[in-house]
């Protein structure tokens, strides 16, 4: 078992204070968006034996277990993060496994460099993900019912939005949503910027259900993604609640601190709220144009105190333990790799004392028990 030394990514949308506050260190004044825990080649965790990627590459079956290697290959199939949004992330969607393989092979065939700004597929894997709130956490997730989206847009009383309102009343629903998103992203940029400016003023004036979109527009003035965002459900998670984002579901995180886990992939197709490349045809191929409820997840408790966030994916399994003062030691031994992350209090994991923000990697089958008074997240795989 190894204590992990993890990289913090300074993306512009990151909160300058949330991760430092959790870690109990002074802020640097710079944004601190994500702390990565895992073996992703972009920023693998460091251990006394080398990077976690090097440790796993040297002995994949010993570190991951035979079952995980047989199912997912000789690599850690998930990436765990602390995510601290101080501003909205880009409106985005992830491909399913077949789409990712097809898109990656196509871009490889066409010789598009891996670091090209217009490249969509960095790998051939899908990217289901789960975000669990540590603080109140705002996000957008999945399409609203088209009639509800039409009512929201109509309430702004912006003339240039009326064609979209009419389209959203059309049937079938999936065609209506597709047509509106296509029209918004394909509109003349100058005309759309004027529409967004009018919509922003109205959102600011009206407040209430419009307040999140006024804030988005403040960060991304004139961006077509502001209007696209109004087609999506706004959700506010309370601490301990979570969202699962499957393939094809448009989403964006807006504000808050959470624990995020995902399949080990970089594949993102952006819909807006970004200066980065937006590939509209490929986006439209991947998006699932169907209204849905955000589906807020609450953990299901087992008799041993483990609270599991159930999802339909096997590349990761996230759970937590809220350990009471003086409680019993709990055996967390598992025939699969694990990362344990403390987010509150003090937790003893084997020989390691973990404080908030500290984590360890536990190889498959290695005996591990935990105790203390605090909150511990457990990331592993389904085998």
């Amino acid at each position: 078992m190894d204590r992990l030394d993890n990289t913090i990514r300074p993306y512009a949308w990151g909160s300058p204070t949330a991760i430092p506050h959790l870690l109990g260190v002074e802020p640097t004044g710079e944004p601190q968006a994500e702390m990565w825990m895992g073996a992703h080649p972009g920023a693998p965790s460091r251990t006394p034996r080398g990077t976690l990627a090097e440790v796993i590459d040297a002995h994949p079956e010993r570190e991951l277990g035979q079952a995980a290697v047989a199912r997912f290959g000789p690599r850690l199939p998930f990436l765990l993060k602390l995510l601290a949004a101080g501003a909205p992330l880009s409106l985005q969607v992830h491909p399913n496994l077949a789409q990712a393989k097809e898109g990656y092979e196509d871009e490889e065939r066409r010789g598009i460099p891996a670091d090209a700004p217009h490249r969509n597929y960095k790998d051939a894997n899908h990217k289901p993900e789960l975000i669990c709130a540590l603080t109140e956490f705002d996000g957008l997730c999945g399409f609203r019912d088209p009639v509800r989206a039409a009512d929201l847009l109509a309430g702004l009383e912006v003339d240039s939005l009326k064609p979209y309102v009419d389209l959203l009343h059309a049937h079938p629903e999936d065609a209506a949503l597709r047509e509106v998103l296509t029209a918004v992203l394909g509109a003349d940029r100058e005309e759309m910027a004027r529409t967004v400016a009018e919509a922003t003023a109205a959102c600011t004036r009206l407040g209430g259900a419009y307040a999140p979109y006024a804030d988005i527009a403040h960060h991304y003035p004139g961006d077509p993604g502001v209007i696209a965002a109004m087609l999506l459900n706004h959700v506010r998670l309370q601490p301990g609640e979570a969202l699962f984002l499957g393939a094809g579901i448009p989403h964006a995180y807006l504000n808050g601190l959470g624990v995020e886990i995902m399949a080990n992939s970089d594949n993102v197709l952006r819909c807006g709220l970004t200066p980065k490349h937006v590939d509209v045809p490929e986006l439209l191929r991947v998006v699932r144009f169907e209204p849905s409820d955000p589906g807020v997840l609450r953990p299901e408790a087992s008799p041993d105190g483990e609270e599991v966030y159930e999802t339909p994916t096997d590349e990761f399994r996230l759970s937590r333990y809220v350990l009471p003062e003086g409680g019993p030691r709990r055996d967390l031994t598992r025939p699969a790799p694990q990362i344990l992350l403390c987010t509150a209090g003090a937790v003893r994991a084997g020989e390691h004392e973990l404080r908030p923000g500290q984590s360890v990697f536990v190889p498959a089958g290695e005996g591990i028990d935990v105790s203390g008074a605090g909150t511990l997240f457990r990331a592993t795989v389904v085998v």
Side-chain angles (χ1 to χ4, degrees):
M1 177 171 45
D2 295 300
R3 185 184 289 273
L4 299 179
D5 179 15
N6 303 305
T7 297
I8 295 177
R9 311 306 293 264
Y11 305 136
W13 49 262
S15 165
T17 58
I19 290 178
H21 177 74
L22 182 74
L23 297 176
V25 299
E26 285 296 316
T28 64
E30 298 298 318
Q32 298 191 26
E34 296 180 348
M35 186 173 80
W36 287 21
M37 291 157 279
H40 191 284
S45 299
R46 297 169 293 278
T47 81
R49 296 186 284 160
T51 71
L52 188 55
E54 292 168 343
V55 168
I56 290 171
D57 286 346
H59 301 284
E61 288 199 352
R62 186 178 73 189
E63 302 296 333
L64 304 177
Q66 290 184 352
V69 171
R71 186 161 192 190
F72 305 111
R75 62 185 182 84
L76 189 67
F78 65 82
L79 175 63
L80 184 68
K81 299 179 180 180
L82 278 175
L83 183 146
L89 281 68
S90 61
L91 190 60
Q92 59 189 257
V93 69
H94 306 302
N96 62 31
L97 189 56
Q99 290 165 338
K101 288 180 177 177
E102 183 181 345
Y104 178 77
E105 289 169 2
D106 174 64
E107 292 187 331
E108 286 288 282
R109 219 170 20 246
R110 290 190 282 140
I112 300 176
D115 58 354
H118 63 288
R119 175 138 186 171
N120 295 313
Y121 296 96
K122 302 298 194 298
D123 52 68
N125 200 17
H126 62 165
K127 193 186 176 188
E129 60 189 42
L130 177 78
I131 183 78
C132 177
L134 295 179
T135 64
E136 277 198 346
F137 194 98
D138 281 86
L140 305 173
C141 178
F143 285 109
R144 297 175 184 268
D145 177 276
V147 173
R148 289 180 52 234
D151 290 343
L152 193 71
L153 292 177
L156 296 174
E157 298 183 341
V158 173
D159 287 344
S160 53
L161 290 177
K162 288 179 180 177
Y164 304 142
V165 173
D166 293 339
L167 286 172
L168 288 167
H169 284 289
H171 292 281
E173 291 180 336
D174 59 343
L177 290 167
R178 175 184 289 272
E179 194 164 350
V180 172
L181 185 62
T182 303
V184 168
L185 298 181
D188 178 84
R189 294 298 296 228
E190 289 187 7
E191 291 180 7
M192 179 53 67
R194 288 192 290 271
T195 295
V196 172
E198 288 185 58
T200 300
C203 287
T204 304
R205 183 181 71 253
L206 293 167
Y210 293 97
Y213 306 101
D215 184 63
I216 291 170
H218 168 73
H219 290 283
Y220 297 98
D223 193 304
V226 174
I227 305 301
M230 298 183 73
L231 302 176
L232 307 186
N233 298 295
H234 172 252
V235 59
R236 174 166 292 169
L237 300 177
Q238 298 303 313
E241 295 181 335
L243 285 176
F244 174 73
L245 292 313
I249 302 298
H251 61 278
Y253 301 145
L254 303 180
N255 187 272
L257 176 66
V259 173
E260 185 183 36
I261 190 168
M262 62 188 63
N264 206 355
S265 172
D266 270 343
N267 289 325
V268 176
L269 289 153
R270 295 174 178 84
C271 316
L273 310 182
T274 177
K276 295 182 180 179
H277 177 61
V278 177
D279 185 336
V280 175
E282 186 63 15
L283 173 71
L284 297 175
R285 187 178 79 91
V286 168
V287 171
R288 289 167 53 187
F289 288 98
E290 54 190 49
S292 62
D293 184 275
V296 174
L297 295 177
R298 295 171 182 84
E300 298 182 14
S302 62
D304 70 349
E306 184 180 27
E307 299 176 343
V308 181
Y309 294 91
E310 297 288 354
T311 73
T313 189
D314 291 343
E315 281 95 336
F316 60 75
R317 177 183 182 272
L318 185 71
S319 61
R320 70 173 184 174
Y321 290 84
V322 181
L323 304 173
E325 183 74 45
R329 298 186 72 85
R330 290 175 167 81
D331 183 1
L332 269 60
T333 306
R334 185 174 172 83
Q338 304 181 73
I339 292 178
L340 306 179
L341 166 68
C342 177
T343 58
V347 177
R348 187 81 181 176
E351 71 273 24
H352 297 284
E353 185 80 20
L354 301 182
R355 296 288 178 174
Q358 296 180 335
S359 56
V360 293
F361 172 75
V362 185
E366 182 169 317
I368 172 68
D369 56 30
V370 299
S371 61
T375 301
L376 186 75
F377 279 84
R378 179 197 214 185
T380 184
V381 302
V382 178
V383 294

